[in-house]
Amino acid sequence: MTTSSSTDSSAAAPGGHGPHGYSSHKADHLKRLRRIEGQARGLQRMVEEDVYCIDILTQVSATTKALQSFALALLEEHITHCVAAAVEEGGTAMDEKVTEAMAAISRLLRS
């Protein structure tokens, strides 16, 4: 019995959209997200231990920056993979992917 690897970028993604732009870097992204999760747990611990508020705010800033950096990396991969493929396809697929990317950028700018 053969099983498919979850990091195989040639496998179709759920929903039939094909591999996502981040698929080839999935392990790196998961490692980065685990680090961010640790930062968030660190914030909880700091509050539990009554750490000075400015020190907690400094950690909040670092965690926020890490999430923003992750989001930008993911957006870049989306544009260079998913949007670029839709542009090659043209037509409504292109219009939809560009609109979707612009909405994602708008949400990131508001956060």
Side-chain angles (χ1 to χ4, degrees), residues 60-81:
V60 167
S61 178
T63 305
T64 301
K65 188 77 168 170
L67 276 170
Q68 289 171 338
S69 178
F70 171 73
L72 286 174
L74 201 60
L75 179 62
E76 178 181 6
E77 289 172 348
H78 177 68
I79 290 171
T80 59
H81 181 268

Side-chain angles (χ1 to χ4, degrees), residues 38-49:
Q39 288 177 296
R41 280 194 309 270
L43 284 164
Q44 291 173 328
R45 189 171 46 254
M46 291 173 85
V47 171
E48 288 170 353
E49 296 172 0

Side-chain angles (χ1 to χ4, degrees), residues 25-62:
H25 300 106
K26 188 174 183 176
D28 292 334
H29 288 317
L30 289 171
K31 183 177 175 182
R32 195 173 196 180
L33 287 169
R34 284 186 201 90
R35 195 174 312 123
I36 293 167
E37 181 182 21
Q39 288 177 296
R41 280 194 309 270
L43 284 164
Q44 291 173 328
R45 189 171 46 254
M46 291 173 85
V47 171
E48 288 170 353
E49 296 172 0
D50 293 321
V51 172
Y52 185 56
C53 50
I54 296 300
D55 294 336
I56 296 171
L57 289 170
T58 299
Q59 183 63 28
V60 167
S61 178

